[in-house]
Amino acid sequence: MEKKSGWKVMEDKEEVVHRGIAASFLCIAVFSFLVRVAVSLHPYSGAGNPPKYGDFEAQRHWMEITLNLPPKEWYRNSTSNDLSYWGLDYPPLTAYQSYAHGLLLRFFHPEAVSLFTSRGHESYLGKLLMRWTVLSSDALVFFPAVFYFIVVYYTGRPHGHKTDIAWHIAIMLLNPCLMLIDHGHFQYNCISLGLTVGAVAAVLSNKELLACFLFSLALNHKQMTAYFAPAFFSHLLGKCLRRQNPLLEVSKLGLVVLGTFALVWWPYLHSMEAFLRVLSRLAPFERGIFEDYVANFWCTTSVLIKWKRMFTTESLKLFSLGATILTCLPSMVQQIWAPSSQGFLYGLLNSAFSFYMFSFQVHEKSILLPLLPASLLALEEPFLLEWITLNALFSMFPLLCRDKLILPYTALSALFILICYHLPSRRQDRKETRSFNTYMTTFLVLCSVVLHGVYLTMHPPRRYPFLFEAVIMLLCFLQFTLLTFYSNAKQWMLLKHTILMDKEKKLL
């Protein structure tokens, strides 16, 4: 009886913790949703800028295509579907999402998704409905995934105090970069990132089959989710190798992945031609190794080395693949050798950074992927999160400036700094470390303010019209490089801790 009552006390305690998380989450979620609504009142990518407009028109056009054409025609170039005009270039799950959202628009405002005649449609009702599709996606996918992660992460943890939990929820739900891109610029990153957060939570709660299912869905929504694939692969493989029947465990995970992919890709599995047609749309190598001024290796070094002129696309694909794999390997080896929950989160960050820095065809918005695991590690690495977020915001500033999103950019940056400032003090390190972090943050913010002012008030020399973008790119690249080295070192330090723990256990 005593044992049973002991178990009951533990269960009641967990229930209280979960109830406390739920209350905090609900309050912060409502505020976060209202902030998203406020951001969505501002302009979007390509607003009033014919003939191709921007990402807003791309998403609307995909709804138009998926509603009015059969699935076999969605990725095929034809008189009804001109792929040169925002052709669908994301995996099938994005197409299904576009179809579902298109149904909503057609029900309330058919003119917004009618074939051909709706191109460049920008009516007030159409824009309102489009904004609500993103808001609802956030509320239905990303918010529940964050709640799932928080519950899993803090259950059974000795430092699961309410202030820490509330702060962590706020940091994840009020990510300024994600809100500006999804609700300002206009995209649906909240779906793929939400599925990824759900998969991470499933891994941490030892539900590997569910994790494989959710991560496969994320991959099938946006191919950029592959930034996290090495971390998932190495961590799950490392866990499987430590079980009684590793081959069976790996086979089960593989079957779930294959089954999920088969389900999503089913309309295109009837012929190799149809399958390869979709696949070719997901890897637009013809666009070149980089576009615009993204703060990664290839774009930054192109100031000195003209990669596009000196090498063929085939050669650049090999260089990019080799560099990405090589920089991912240390993190993968650590997790195969000694898989751990904390190591897995660092592995996600390191893997995403490797892809961002060296993979082919990286955009400014791709920094959202390294930002995600940094927010998952927020309580352990608050300064790292602050550092990467401020630089991520700065790296996207020219893009957001073109979208006329300076006001929400400024407001969300200030809100983020305010939240970081209110990190529960007991989680801070020594006084010297706090002083260093404060000094560095102040220095970064001041430099950022000066450069923002220069960008907005001064004109670059005629000979170098993109000088300011290049300076921003270079500064952010240097910061991201430092962060990459730091996070890789932190992951390998976990291995040292594991070895010491094993030695202590043997001595006991």
Side-chain angles (χ1 to χ4, degrees), residues 195-196 199 210-220 225-226 228-229 232:
L195 291 168
T196 303
L210 175 61
C212 286
F213 173 69
L214 291 173
F215 186 62
S216 296
L217 289 179
L219 279 169
N220 279 294
T225 314
F228 302 122
F232 274 94

Side-chain angles (χ1 to χ4, degrees), residues 437-475:
N437 290 353
T438 304
Y439 172 77
M440 281 297 295
T441 302
T442 305
F443 177 74
L444 288 171
V445 170
L446 287 175
C447 288
S448 177
V449 168
V450 171
L451 289 168
H452 280 82
V454 169
Y455 187 90
L456 291 172
T457 59
M458 296 180 65
H459 296 285
R462 289 186 179 181
R463 190 178 175 184
Y464 304 106
F466 300 105
L467 176 64
F468 296 158
E469 284 87 350
V471 170
I472 291 172
M473 172 190 69
L474 176 61
L475 290 174

Side-chain angles (χ1 to χ4, degrees), residues 234-248:
S234 56
H235 179 76
L236 292 175
L237 178 61
K239 289 174 80 172
C240 288
L241 292 175
R242 278 154 182 76
R243 291 177 180 168
Q244 193 170 359
N245 196 334
L247 187 60
L248 176 63

